[in-house]
Amino acid sequence: VQLQASGGGLVQAGGSLRLSCTASGTGRFFRMNTMKWYRRGPGEERELVAGIIGSGNNANYADSVKGRFTMSRDGAENTFFLQMNSLEPEDTAVYYCNSNVWTPERGSVDYWGQGTQVTVSS
C-alpha cells in the first residue's frame, strides 16, 4: 500500500489550497480505519491537523485550523482531502497524510504519504 499526497504549493495569505491523499496498492478488499493529516512547520514538532476515524465523515481538527480547514473523503474511500481556506503564514509546513489501512494480506498497518509543501506568503 502507498499513500500519495498532492496539492501543496505557494499561496498568498487568505488564499486556499486543497490537498489530496490517495491510497494505491490496496487490492480489491481494504478498509481505511483512520485518515489523518499532519504537518511539520520549520523548526516545529509534527502536529496533527485533522482526522477521521472509522467509516463516518466526522472529522476532528486542531484548534489552530478549526473553521478554516475541512477534511473529507470520497465515496470510493481510497482518497481523502484537506480543504484549506483563509490560509495564514503560520500554516506554512510540510503536510503529511497518514492512514491505518486494513487489507486481508497484511492486517492493519499505518502508512504515510511523502509530504507536500504548503507555503503561505504574507
Side-chain angles (χ1 to χ4, degrees):
V1 176
Q2 291 186 326
L3 297 184
Q4 179 71 41
S6 62
L10 173 64
V11 65
Q12 288 188 333
S16 299
L17 285 172
R18 188 190 196 211
L19 306 184
S20 299
C21 182
T22 299
S24 61
T26 58
R28 184 177 178 184
F29 300 104
F30 70 98
R31 183 178 65 245
M32 300 177 81
N33 295 318
T34 64
M35 292 164 280
K36 299 177 182 178
W37 288 99
Y38 288 84
R39 69 184 180 185
R40 177 172 283 164
E44 297 180 359
E45 298 292 321
R46 186 177 65 191
E47 174 188 21
L48 176 61
V49 176
I52 293 175
I53 296 176
S55 59
N57 291 300
N58 293 325
N60 293 307
Y61 300 94
D63 288 343
S64 57
V65 306
K66 279 181 182 177
R68 301 187 297 120
F69 290 11
T70 303
M71 184 174 177
S72 61
R73 65 199 298 175
D74 75 357
E77 298 189 8
N78 72 327
T79 301
F80 55 100
F81 308 95
L82 187 67
Q83 177 66 43
M84 305 185 295
N85 298 329
S86 302
L87 282 161
E88 304 169 352
E90 293 73 22
D91 296 317
T92 295
V94 178
Y95 285 71
Y96 299 90
C97 59
N98 166 271
S99 180
N100 183 275
V101 182
W102 177 89
T103 62
E105 297 80 14
R106 301 194 67 184
S108 295
V109 179
D110 252 23
Y111 297 94
W112 289 88
Q114 82 286 8
T116 184
Q117 176 70 47
V118 171
T119 302
V120 184
S121 63
S122 57

